[in-house]
Amino acid sequence: MKITVVGAGYVGLVTGVVFADLGNEVICVDIDAHKVDAINKGRTPIYEPGLDELLQRNLEEERLRATTDLAGAGRESEVIFITVGTPPRENGEPDLQYVDEVARAIGEALNGYKIIVNKSTVPVGTGDRVRQIIEQHRKEPHEFDVVSNPEFLREGSAVHDTLYPDRIVIGTDNPRAARKIVELYAPLERPMLITNLPTAEIIKYASNAFLALKISYINAIADLCERVGADVVQVAKAMGYDPRIGAHFLQAGLGFGGSCFPKDVKAFAHSVQRYGLDPSLYETVLAINEARPRQFVQRIAERLNGLRDKTVGLLGLAFKPNTDDIREARSIEIMRHLLQEGAQVRAYDPVAMPNMQAIYPHITYCKSAYEVAEGADALVLVTEWNEFKQLNFERIKHLMRQPNLFDGRNLYDPQRLRKLGFYYYGIGRAEPPSSQNGL
Ligand code: UGA
Protein backbone atom coordinates (compact mmCIF):
# COMPACT_ATOMS: atom_id res chain seq x y z
CA MET A 1 0.00 0.00 0.00
CA LYS A 2 1.14 3.57 -0.62
CA ILE A 3 1.04 5.50 2.59
CA THR A 4 1.85 9.04 3.67
CA VAL A 5 2.48 9.83 7.32
CA VAL A 6 2.26 13.53 8.13
CA GLY A 7 4.30 14.61 11.17
CA ALA A 8 7.58 12.80 11.82
CA GLY A 9 7.47 12.97 15.63
CA TYR A 10 7.44 9.95 17.91
CA VAL A 11 4.20 8.45 16.66
CA GLY A 12 4.62 9.39 13.00
CA LEU A 13 8.17 8.23 12.53
CA VAL A 14 7.71 4.93 14.34
CA THR A 15 4.44 4.24 12.52
CA GLY A 16 5.99 5.08 9.15
CA VAL A 17 9.05 2.94 9.72
CA VAL A 18 7.02 -0.05 10.91
CA PHE A 19 4.57 0.16 7.98
CA ALA A 20 7.54 0.32 5.61
CA ASP A 21 9.02 -2.71 7.30
CA LEU A 22 5.77 -4.57 6.63
CA GLY A 23 6.36 -3.98 2.92
CA ASN A 24 4.40 -0.80 2.28
CA GLU A 25 5.70 2.24 0.41
CA VAL A 26 5.86 5.03 2.95
CA ILE A 27 6.48 8.77 2.67
CA CYS A 28 7.09 10.63 5.93
CA VAL A 29 6.21 14.31 5.73
CA ASP A 30 7.39 17.01 8.09
CA ILE A 31 7.60 20.80 7.88
CA ASP A 32 11.05 20.70 9.49
CA ALA A 33 13.56 20.37 6.62
CA HIS A 34 16.40 19.43 9.03
CA LYS A 35 14.36 16.55 10.39
CA VAL A 36 13.48 15.39 6.88
CA ASP A 37 17.12 15.55 5.90
CA ALA A 38 18.21 13.57 8.96
CA ILE A 39 15.59 10.87 8.31
CA ASN A 40 16.68 10.54 4.68
CA LYS A 41 20.26 10.07 5.92
CA GLY A 42 19.16 7.32 8.29
CA ARG A 43 19.37 9.36 11.48
CA THR A 44 16.37 9.38 13.79
CA PRO A 45 15.77 12.72 15.48
CA ILE A 46 14.60 10.89 18.64
CA TYR A 47 16.18 8.32 20.93
CA GLU A 48 14.18 5.12 20.63
CA PRO A 49 15.63 1.61 20.99
CA GLY A 50 15.64 -0.29 17.66
CA LEU A 51 14.40 2.60 15.54
CA ASP A 52 17.71 3.52 13.86
CA GLU A 53 18.29 0.04 12.47
CA LEU A 54 14.74 -0.26 11.22
CA LEU A 55 14.89 3.16 9.55
CA GLN A 56 18.20 2.41 7.84
CA ARG A 57 17.02 -0.93 6.55
CA ASN A 58 13.86 0.53 5.01
CA LEU A 59 15.72 3.48 3.48
CA GLU A 60 18.21 1.10 1.89
CA GLU A 61 15.44 -1.07 0.54
CA GLU A 62 13.71 2.07 -0.75
CA ARG A 63 10.42 1.54 1.01
CA LEU A 64 10.66 4.78 2.95
CA ARG A 65 11.58 8.38 2.27
CA ALA A 66 10.93 11.73 3.88
CA THR A 67 9.89 15.04 2.36
CA THR A 68 8.50 18.45 3.23
CA ASP A 69 6.09 18.28 0.28
CA LEU A 70 2.76 17.23 1.79
CA ALA A 71 0.70 17.88 -1.35
CA GLY A 72 3.00 15.76 -3.54
CA ALA A 73 3.14 12.90 -1.03
CA GLY A 74 -0.63 13.00 -0.51
CA ARG A 75 -1.35 12.81 -4.23
CA GLU A 76 0.75 9.64 -4.51
CA SER A 77 -0.86 7.82 -1.56
CA GLU A 78 -4.08 5.95 -0.88
CA VAL A 79 -3.89 6.29 2.87
CA ILE A 80 -2.74 9.44 4.69
CA PHE A 81 -2.00 9.30 8.41
CA ILE A 82 -2.15 12.50 10.46
CA THR A 83 0.35 12.24 13.32
CA VAL A 84 1.04 15.87 14.17
CA GLY A 85 1.29 17.36 17.65
CA THR A 86 -1.71 18.63 19.58
CA PRO A 87 0.00 20.75 22.27
CA PRO A 88 -2.11 22.05 25.14
CA ARG A 89 -3.34 25.63 25.23
CA GLU A 90 -3.17 27.49 28.53
CA ASN A 91 -6.63 26.23 29.59
CA GLY A 92 -5.70 22.58 28.92
CA GLU A 93 -7.64 22.37 25.67
CA PRO A 94 -5.55 20.82 22.87
CA ASP A 95 -4.47 23.17 20.14
CA LEU A 96 -5.66 21.65 16.86
CA GLN A 97 -4.01 24.14 14.52
CA TYR A 98 -1.56 21.61 13.08
CA VAL A 99 -4.30 19.03 12.49
CA ASP A 100 -6.37 21.75 10.78
CA GLU A 101 -3.46 22.83 8.58
CA VAL A 102 -2.79 19.27 7.46
CA ALA A 103 -6.50 18.70 6.74
CA ARG A 104 -6.56 21.88 4.63
CA ALA A 105 -3.50 20.82 2.65
CA ILE A 106 -4.91 17.32 2.09
CA GLY A 107 -8.19 18.86 0.89
CA GLU A 108 -6.41 21.13 -1.55
CA ALA A 109 -4.32 18.27 -2.94
CA LEU A 110 -7.14 15.69 -3.13
CA ASN A 111 -6.86 13.96 -6.53
CA GLY A 112 -8.86 10.76 -5.96
CA TYR A 113 -10.36 8.57 -3.22
CA LYS A 114 -8.21 8.69 -0.06
CA ILE A 115 -8.50 7.48 3.47
CA ILE A 116 -7.40 10.05 6.02
CA VAL A 117 -6.45 8.31 9.25
CA ASN A 118 -6.08 10.39 12.36
CA LYS A 119 -3.52 9.08 14.84
CA SER A 120 -2.85 12.32 16.70
CA THR A 121 -4.41 12.40 20.17
CA VAL A 122 -7.44 14.62 19.66
CA PRO A 123 -10.69 15.38 21.45
CA VAL A 124 -13.89 13.66 20.42
CA GLY A 125 -15.39 15.42 17.41
CA THR A 126 -12.06 16.06 15.65
CA GLY A 127 -12.73 13.44 12.97
CA ASP A 128 -15.82 15.39 11.90
CA ARG A 129 -13.85 18.62 11.99
CA VAL A 130 -11.18 17.11 9.69
CA ARG A 131 -13.90 15.87 7.33
CA GLN A 132 -15.45 19.35 7.12
CA ILE A 133 -12.11 21.07 6.50
CA ILE A 134 -11.25 18.66 3.67
CA GLU A 135 -14.71 19.13 2.14
CA GLN A 136 -14.33 22.90 2.27
CA HIS A 137 -10.91 22.87 0.63
CA ARG A 138 -11.11 20.15 -2.00
CA LYS A 139 -10.95 21.54 -5.50
CA GLU A 140 -12.67 18.57 -7.17
CA PRO A 141 -15.46 16.44 -5.66
CA HIS A 142 -13.30 13.36 -4.99
CA GLU A 143 -14.52 11.02 -2.28
CA PHE A 144 -12.62 10.43 0.91
CA ASP A 145 -13.13 8.85 4.34
CA VAL A 146 -11.88 9.87 7.75
CA VAL A 147 -10.82 7.19 10.21
CA SER A 148 -9.74 7.50 13.84
CA ASN A 149 -6.95 5.06 14.68
CA PRO A 150 -5.55 6.05 18.08
CA GLU A 151 -2.00 5.16 18.98
CA PHE A 152 -1.11 3.44 22.24
CA LEU A 153 2.68 3.13 21.90
CA ARG A 154 4.90 4.09 24.82
CA GLU A 155 8.13 6.02 24.48
CA GLY A 156 11.12 3.82 25.13
CA SER A 157 9.37 0.76 23.70
CA ALA A 158 7.71 2.44 20.71
CA VAL A 159 8.95 0.00 18.06
CA HIS A 160 7.94 -3.04 20.08
CA ASP A 161 4.54 -1.53 20.94
CA THR A 162 3.87 -0.74 17.28
CA LEU A 163 4.76 -4.24 16.16
CA TYR A 164 2.82 -5.92 18.99
CA PRO A 165 -0.04 -3.60 19.95
CA ASP A 166 -2.50 -4.89 22.59
CA ARG A 167 -5.31 -3.76 20.32
CA ILE A 168 -5.85 -1.84 17.11
CA VAL A 169 -8.82 0.52 17.16
CA ILE A 170 -10.34 1.58 13.84
CA GLY A 171 -13.11 4.15 14.09
CA THR A 172 -15.08 4.98 10.95
CA ASP A 173 -18.62 4.98 9.63
CA ASN A 174 -17.65 3.51 6.26
CA PRO A 175 -16.98 -0.26 6.04
CA ARG A 176 -14.94 0.27 2.87
CA ALA A 177 -12.43 2.44 4.75
CA ALA A 178 -12.42 0.05 7.71
CA ARG A 179 -11.61 -2.89 5.42
CA LYS A 180 -8.62 -1.08 3.94
CA ILE A 181 -7.16 -0.23 7.33
CA VAL A 182 -7.79 -3.77 8.58
CA GLU A 183 -5.82 -5.01 5.56
CA LEU A 184 -2.97 -2.66 6.41
CA TYR A 185 -2.72 -3.95 9.99
CA ALA A 186 -3.49 -7.60 9.21
CA PRO A 187 0.19 -8.73 9.07
CA LEU A 188 0.58 -7.81 12.76
CA GLU A 189 -2.03 -10.42 13.71
CA ARG A 190 -3.28 -8.44 16.70
CA PRO A 191 -6.84 -7.92 18.04
CA MET A 192 -8.76 -5.28 16.06
CA LEU A 193 -11.83 -3.37 17.11
CA ILE A 194 -13.95 -1.52 14.57
CA THR A 195 -16.05 1.29 16.02
CA ASN A 196 -17.60 4.55 14.94
CA LEU A 197 -15.48 7.71 14.96
CA PRO A 198 -16.37 9.22 18.36
CA THR A 199 -15.97 5.85 20.09
CA ALA A 200 -12.42 5.45 18.80
CA GLU A 201 -11.60 9.03 19.78
CA ILE A 202 -12.84 8.46 23.33
CA ILE A 203 -10.98 5.13 23.70
CA LYS A 204 -7.64 6.91 23.52
CA TYR A 205 -8.34 9.52 26.21
CA ALA A 206 -10.29 7.10 28.39
CA SER A 207 -7.30 4.71 28.37
CA ASN A 208 -4.68 7.32 29.20
CA ALA A 209 -6.84 8.95 31.86
CA PHE A 210 -7.46 5.56 33.47
CA LEU A 211 -3.75 4.72 33.59
CA ALA A 212 -3.01 8.14 35.08
CA LEU A 213 -5.79 7.54 37.59
CA LYS A 214 -4.21 4.24 38.63
CA ILE A 215 -0.91 6.02 39.26
CA SER A 216 -2.47 8.83 41.30
CA TYR A 217 -4.57 6.30 43.18
CA ILE A 218 -1.58 4.26 44.30
CA ASN A 219 0.29 7.46 45.15
CA ALA A 220 -2.59 8.54 47.40
CA ILE A 221 -2.45 5.11 49.04
CA ALA A 222 1.33 5.54 49.42
CA ASP A 223 0.80 8.73 51.42
CA LEU A 224 -1.51 6.86 53.78
CA CYS A 225 0.97 3.98 54.06
CA GLU A 226 3.62 6.43 55.16
CA ARG A 227 1.42 7.79 57.95
CA VAL A 228 0.45 4.41 59.38
CA GLY A 229 3.64 2.36 59.00
CA ALA A 230 2.54 0.31 55.98
CA ASP A 231 4.42 -0.60 52.80
CA VAL A 232 2.78 0.48 49.54
CA VAL A 233 4.90 -1.93 47.48
CA GLN A 234 3.26 -4.85 49.25
CA VAL A 235 -0.17 -3.24 49.12
CA ALA A 236 0.16 -2.78 45.33
CA LYS A 237 1.48 -6.29 44.85
CA ALA A 238 -1.45 -7.83 46.73
CA MET A 239 -3.95 -5.61 44.88
CA GLY A 240 -2.38 -6.51 41.55
CA TYR A 241 -2.98 -10.24 42.01
CA ASP A 242 -6.68 -9.51 41.59
CA PRO A 243 -7.15 -9.74 37.82
CA ARG A 244 -9.93 -7.16 38.02
CA ILE A 245 -7.34 -4.65 39.23
CA GLY A 246 -4.20 -5.86 37.46
CA ALA A 247 -0.59 -5.36 38.51
CA HIS A 248 0.40 -2.74 35.92
CA PHE A 249 0.66 0.97 36.60
CA LEU A 250 0.47 0.57 40.35
CA GLN A 251 4.01 1.69 41.01
CA ALA A 252 3.97 4.45 43.59
CA GLY A 253 6.56 7.16 43.17
CA LEU A 254 7.08 10.70 42.02
CA GLY A 255 4.06 10.51 39.72
CA PHE A 256 3.59 10.61 35.98
CA GLY A 257 5.34 12.90 33.51
CA GLY A 258 5.89 12.84 29.77
CA SER A 259 4.17 14.37 26.82
CA CYS A 260 0.96 12.34 27.16
CA PHE A 261 -0.60 11.73 30.55
CA PRO A 262 -0.46 15.25 32.03
CA LYS A 263 -1.64 16.81 28.76
CA ASP A 264 -4.27 14.18 27.97
CA VAL A 265 -5.87 14.16 31.40
CA LYS A 266 -6.14 17.97 31.25
CA ALA A 267 -7.63 17.77 27.77
CA PHE A 268 -10.10 15.08 28.82
CA ALA A 269 -11.22 17.14 31.82
CA HIS A 270 -11.76 19.99 29.41
CA SER A 271 -13.82 17.87 26.99
CA VAL A 272 -15.95 16.46 29.79
CA GLN A 273 -16.70 19.98 31.02
CA ARG A 274 -17.52 21.11 27.53
CA TYR A 275 -20.28 18.54 27.37
CA GLY A 276 -21.72 19.75 30.69
CA LEU A 277 -20.24 16.95 32.85
CA ASP A 278 -18.24 17.08 36.07
CA PRO A 279 -14.43 17.05 35.52
CA SER A 280 -13.48 16.73 39.19
CA LEU A 281 -12.35 13.09 38.93
CA TYR A 282 -9.68 14.05 36.40
CA GLU A 283 -8.76 17.24 38.23
CA THR A 284 -8.07 15.22 41.38
CA VAL A 285 -5.83 12.83 39.42
CA LEU A 286 -3.82 15.84 38.25
CA ALA A 287 -3.74 17.56 41.66
CA ILE A 288 -2.36 14.44 43.38
CA ASN A 289 0.31 14.17 40.68
CA GLU A 290 1.30 17.82 40.78
CA ALA A 291 1.88 17.76 44.54
CA ARG A 292 4.37 14.88 44.49
CA PRO A 293 7.69 16.61 43.67
CA ARG A 294 7.00 19.33 46.27
CA GLN A 295 6.17 16.77 48.97
CA PHE A 296 9.25 14.76 48.09
CA VAL A 297 11.61 17.74 48.30
CA GLN A 298 10.03 18.62 51.66
CA ARG A 299 11.06 15.19 52.98
CA ILE A 300 14.63 15.80 51.81
CA ALA A 301 14.66 19.25 53.41
CA GLU A 302 13.33 17.85 56.72
CA ARG A 303 16.04 15.21 56.79
CA LEU A 304 18.84 17.68 56.00
CA ASN A 305 17.53 20.44 58.30
CA GLY A 306 16.96 22.73 55.35
CA LEU A 307 18.53 22.72 51.94
CA ARG A 308 20.59 25.90 51.94
CA ASP A 309 24.11 25.01 50.76
CA LYS A 310 23.37 21.30 50.91
CA THR A 311 24.41 19.20 47.94
CA VAL A 312 21.75 16.98 46.40
CA GLY A 313 22.54 14.49 43.64
CA LEU A 314 19.90 13.38 41.15
CA LEU A 315 20.05 9.99 39.45
CA GLY A 316 17.99 10.14 36.26
CA LEU A 317 16.35 13.11 34.57
CA ALA A 318 14.25 11.62 31.75
CA PHE A 319 10.51 11.33 32.44
CA LYS A 320 11.01 7.56 32.46
CA PRO A 321 13.81 5.12 31.52
CA ASN A 322 14.93 4.42 27.93
CA THR A 323 14.15 7.87 26.58
CA ASP A 324 15.88 11.26 26.42
CA ASP A 325 12.50 12.97 26.71
CA ILE A 326 12.20 15.37 29.64
CA ARG A 327 8.80 16.84 28.80
CA GLU A 328 6.90 17.26 32.08
CA ALA A 329 9.61 15.15 33.72
CA ARG A 330 9.37 15.07 37.50
CA SER A 331 13.08 15.96 37.60
CA ILE A 332 12.29 19.48 36.34
CA GLU A 333 9.98 20.21 39.25
CA ILE A 334 12.26 18.52 41.78
CA MET A 335 15.17 20.59 40.50
CA ARG A 336 13.07 23.78 40.70
CA HIS A 337 12.13 23.16 44.35
CA LEU A 338 15.67 22.16 45.32
CA LEU A 339 17.20 25.26 43.73
CA GLN A 340 14.52 27.52 45.20
CA GLU A 341 15.45 26.28 48.64
CA GLY A 342 19.13 26.96 48.08
CA ALA A 343 20.50 23.46 47.37
CA GLN A 344 23.46 22.76 45.09
CA VAL A 345 22.35 20.20 42.51
CA ARG A 346 24.44 17.55 40.76
CA ALA A 347 22.85 15.21 38.22
CA TYR A 348 23.46 12.35 35.86
CA ASP A 349 21.27 10.71 33.23
CA PRO A 350 22.49 8.29 30.55
CA VAL A 351 20.88 10.23 27.67
CA ALA A 352 18.72 13.14 28.83
CA MET A 353 21.40 15.57 30.09
CA PRO A 354 21.70 17.65 26.89
CA ASN A 355 17.94 18.29 26.99
CA MET A 356 18.06 19.28 30.64
CA GLN A 357 21.05 21.57 30.07
CA ALA A 358 18.78 23.76 27.95
CA ILE A 359 16.49 24.32 30.96
CA TYR A 360 19.00 24.27 33.83
CA PRO A 361 22.42 25.18 32.39
CA HIS A 362 24.02 25.98 35.75
CA ILE A 363 23.74 22.81 37.80
CA THR A 364 26.62 20.32 37.83
CA TYR A 365 26.24 17.55 35.23
CA CYS A 366 28.22 14.39 35.99
CA LYS A 367 29.50 11.41 34.02
CA SER A 368 28.20 8.67 36.30
CA ALA A 369 26.12 7.89 39.35
CA TYR A 370 29.34 7.72 41.37
CA GLU A 371 30.40 11.21 40.34
CA VAL A 372 26.96 12.49 41.38
CA ALA A 373 27.46 10.95 44.82
CA GLU A 374 30.75 12.80 45.45
CA GLY A 375 30.25 15.16 48.40
CA ALA A 376 26.44 14.83 48.27
CA ASP A 377 24.30 15.19 51.39
CA ALA A 378 21.51 13.28 49.71
CA LEU A 379 21.20 11.09 46.66
CA VAL A 380 17.85 11.04 44.89
CA LEU A 381 16.69 8.34 42.47
CA VAL A 382 14.35 10.08 40.02
CA THR A 383 14.32 7.78 36.96
CA GLU A 384 14.72 4.02 37.32
CA TRP A 385 17.25 3.40 34.53
CA ASN A 386 18.61 -0.16 34.46
CA GLU A 387 22.14 1.04 35.15
CA PHE A 388 21.01 2.38 38.56
CA LYS A 389 19.65 -0.98 39.67
CA GLN A 390 22.92 -2.57 40.71
CA LEU A 391 25.00 0.31 42.00
CA ASN A 392 27.87 -0.31 44.39
CA PHE A 393 26.38 1.35 47.45
CA GLU A 394 29.41 0.71 49.66
CA ARG A 395 31.42 2.83 47.26
CA ILE A 396 28.65 5.43 47.06
CA LYS A 397 28.46 5.68 50.84
CA HIS A 398 32.13 6.56 51.03
CA LEU A 399 31.79 9.16 48.31
CA MET A 400 28.89 10.98 49.95
CA ARG A 401 29.14 13.60 52.69
CA GLN A 402 26.13 12.00 54.41
CA PRO A 403 24.63 8.67 53.27
CA ASN A 404 21.02 9.74 52.69
CA LEU A 405 19.15 7.98 49.92
CA PHE A 406 15.76 9.18 48.64
CA ASP A 407 14.27 6.59 46.34
CA GLY A 408 11.62 8.30 44.19
CA ARG A 409 10.73 5.08 42.35
CA ASN A 410 11.00 2.45 45.10
CA LEU A 411 13.79 0.78 43.17
CA TYR A 412 15.92 -0.38 46.08
CA ASP A 413 15.55 -2.78 48.96
CA PRO A 414 15.16 -0.56 52.05
CA GLN A 415 16.50 -3.18 54.43
CA ARG A 416 19.66 -3.71 52.46
CA LEU A 417 20.42 -0.02 52.27
CA ARG A 418 19.66 0.57 55.92
CA LYS A 419 21.97 -2.32 56.78
CA LEU A 420 24.71 -0.66 54.76
CA GLY A 421 24.29 2.40 56.95
CA PHE A 422 22.13 4.56 54.72
CA TYR A 423 19.19 6.62 55.81
CA TYR A 424 16.67 5.33 53.25
CA TYR A 425 13.41 6.99 52.26
CA GLY A 426 11.10 5.28 49.76
CA ILE A 427 7.66 6.46 48.64
CA GLY A 428 4.98 4.98 50.91
CA ARG A 429 7.46 2.66 52.61
CA ALA A 430 7.42 3.44 56.28
CA GLU A 431 10.65 3.22 58.23
CA PRO A 432 10.79 0.63 60.98
CA PRO A 433 10.70 2.48 64.35
CA SER A 434 14.28 1.44 65.24
CA SER A 435 15.83 3.36 62.35
CA GLN A 436 13.54 6.39 62.69
CA ASN A 437 16.41 8.66 63.64
CA GLY A 438 18.67 7.54 60.86
CA LEU A 439 22.35 6.97 61.59
C1 UGA B 1 1.63 6.70 27.65
C2 UGA B 1 0.77 5.42 27.52
O1 UGA B 1 1.31 4.41 28.38
C3 UGA B 1 0.75 4.92 26.08
O2 UGA B 1 -0.12 3.80 25.97
C4 UGA B 1 0.23 6.06 25.19
O3 UGA B 1 0.22 5.68 23.81
C5 UGA B 1 1.13 7.27 25.34
O4 UGA B 1 1.11 7.68 26.74
C6 UGA B 1 0.57 8.38 24.48
O5 UGA B 1 -0.58 8.79 24.71
O6 UGA B 1 1.22 8.77 23.51
P1 UGA B 1 4.27 7.20 27.79
O7 UGA B 1 3.87 8.61 28.10
O8 UGA B 1 5.31 6.94 26.77
O9 UGA B 1 2.97 6.35 27.31
O10 UGA B 1 4.81 6.56 29.14
P2 UGA B 1 4.34 5.52 30.26
O11 UGA B 1 5.22 4.35 30.21
O12 UGA B 1 2.89 5.29 30.19
O13 UGA B 1 4.69 6.35 31.58
C7 UGA B 1 4.10 7.61 31.86
C8 UGA B 1 4.55 8.12 33.21
O14 UGA B 1 3.93 7.38 34.26
C9 UGA B 1 6.06 8.03 33.47
O15 UGA B 1 6.49 9.24 34.04
C10 UGA B 1 6.18 6.89 34.46
O16 UGA B 1 7.31 7.03 35.31
C11 UGA B 1 4.89 7.02 35.24
N1 UGA B 1 4.44 5.76 35.89
C12 UGA B 1 4.10 4.69 35.12
C13 UGA B 1 4.33 5.69 37.27
O17 UGA B 1 4.63 6.67 38.01
N2 UGA B 1 3.89 4.53 37.85
C14 UGA B 1 3.54 3.45 37.11
O18 UGA B 1 3.14 2.43 37.72
C15 UGA B 1 3.65 3.53 35.72
Side-chain angles (χ1 to χ4, degrees), residues 257-327:
S259 63
C260 303
F261 286 171
K263 162 175 94 74
D264 292 354
V265 181
K266 266 181 223 149
F268 203 36
H270 202 274
S271 276
V272 160
Q273 208 164 15
R274 204 168 138 214
Y275 290 98
L277 299 169
D278 179 5
S280 57
L281 175 65
Y282 313 106
E283 286 167 356
T284 304
V285 167
L286 290 167
I288 292 172
N289 197 54
E290 271 155 31
R292 303 212 64 75
R294 191 176 58 240
Q295 284 176 8
F296 189 68
V297 172
Q298 251 165 26
R299 297 275 176 287
I300 307 173
E302 278 161 21
R303 172 70 190 168
L304 299 182
N305 293 321
L307 289 166
R308 187 141 302 281
D309 299 325
K310 302 284 168 36
T311 301
V312 178
L314 303 188
L315 299 181
L317 298 170
F319 89 93
K320 65 173 192 177
N322 300 323
T323 175
D324 65 349
D325 196 341
I326 56 160
R327 284 177 289 176

Side-chain angles (χ1 to χ4, degrees), residues 121 151-155 204 208 211 215 248-251 255-261 264 319-320 384 409:
T121 301
E151 181 51 63
F152 303 102
L153 66 78
R154 289 160 302 173
E155 288 186 23
K204 170 66 189 185
N208 272 7
L211 292 170
I215 300 169
H248 298 292
F249 279 66
L250 280 183
Q251 232 172 292
F256 54 82
S259 63
C260 303
F261 286 171
D264 292 354
F319 89 93
K320 65 173 192 177
E384 65 279 32
R409 298 290 172 186

Side-chain angles (χ1 to χ4, degrees), residues 142-413:
H142 295 296
E143 277 184 54
F144 68 94
D145 279 305
V146 176
V147 174
S148 165
N149 170 223
E151 181 51 63
F152 303 102
L153 66 78
R154 289 160 302 173
E155 288 186 23
S157 55
V159 172
H160 175 273
D161 291 350
T162 307
L163 284 168
Y164 306 97
D166 296 322
R167 75 294 207 191
I168 295 157
V169 175
I170 299 168
T172 175
D173 301 323
N174 188 340
R176 172 182 172 191
R179 267 197 305 276
K180 195 85 187 160
I181 304 304
V182 165
E183 198 187 308
L184 184 63
Y185 279 107
L188 296 180
E189 297 181 31
R190 305 301 291 171
M192 294 199 215
L193 204 78
I194 299 171
T195 70
N196 68 11
L197 256 174
T199 305
E201 288 172 335
I202 287 184
I203 288 170
K204 170 66 189 185
Y205 275 129
S207 303
N208 272 7
F210 186 73
L211 292 170
L213 180 145
K214 271 187 109 173
I215 300 169
S216 279
Y217 182 82
I218 201 66
N219 282 334
I221 300 284
D223 290 345
L224 178 64
C225 287
E226 240 166 86
R227 297 274 165 95
V228 301
D231 183 349
V232 74
V233 175
Q234 287 179 5
V235 173
K237 197 170 176 185
M239 285 171 64
Y241 281 126
D242 183 335
R244 294 170 302 174
I245 297 173
H248 298 292
F249 279 66
L250 280 183
Q251 232 172 292
L254 296 168
F256 54 82
S259 63
C260 303
F261 286 171
K263 162 175 94 74
D264 292 354
V265 181
K266 266 181 223 149
F268 203 36
H270 202 274
S271 276
V272 160
Q273 208 164 15
R274 204 168 138 214
Y275 290 98
L277 299 169
D278 179 5
S280 57
L281 175 65
Y282 313 106
E283 286 167 356
T284 304
V285 167
L286 290 167
I288 292 172
N289 197 54
E290 271 155 31
R292 303 212 64 75
R294 191 176 58 240
Q295 284 176 8
F296 189 68
V297 172
Q298 251 165 26
R299 297 275 176 287
I300 307 173
E302 278 161 21
R303 172 70 190 168
L304 299 182
N305 293 321
L307 289 166
R308 187 141 302 281
D309 299 325
K310 302 284 168 36
T311 301
V312 178
L314 303 188
L315 299 181
L317 298 170
F319 89 93
K320 65 173 192 177
N322 300 323
T323 175
D324 65 349
D325 196 341
I326 56 160
R327 284 177 289 176
E328 305 260 351
R330 312 302 18 230
S331 57
I332 299 176
E333 280 298 286
I334 289 172
M335 198 99 86
R336 187 169 70 80
H337 289 297
L338 288 171
L339 294 173
Q340 242 167 23
E341 300 208 16
Q344 310 284 326
V345 179
R346 304 164 66 76
Y348 166 72
D349 186 285
V351 294
M353 288 195 289
N355 287 339
M356 193 56 94
Q357 259 155 347
I359 303 179
Y360 290 111
H362 301 304
I363 66 148
T364 307
Y365 290 95
C366 302
K367 289 194 187 66
S368 70
Y370 300 100
E371 198 182 319
V372 171
E374 277 171 29
D377 297 289
L379 199 58
V380 177
L381 189 278
V382 182
T383 315
E384 65 279 32
W385 282 92
N386 265 343
E387 70 174 72
F388 299 145
K389 286 185 179 160
Q390 299 291 347
L391 293 174
N392 179 344
F393 278 106
E394 308 238 8
R395 182 173 161 205
I396 285 185
K397 189 180 159 199
H398 289 113
L399 291 168
M400 293 180 74
R401 188 149 51 197
Q402 312 179 49
N404 290 308
L405 185 74
F406 289 83
D407 183 353
R409 298 290 172 186
N410 290 343
L411 186 65
Y412 302 116
D413 174 2

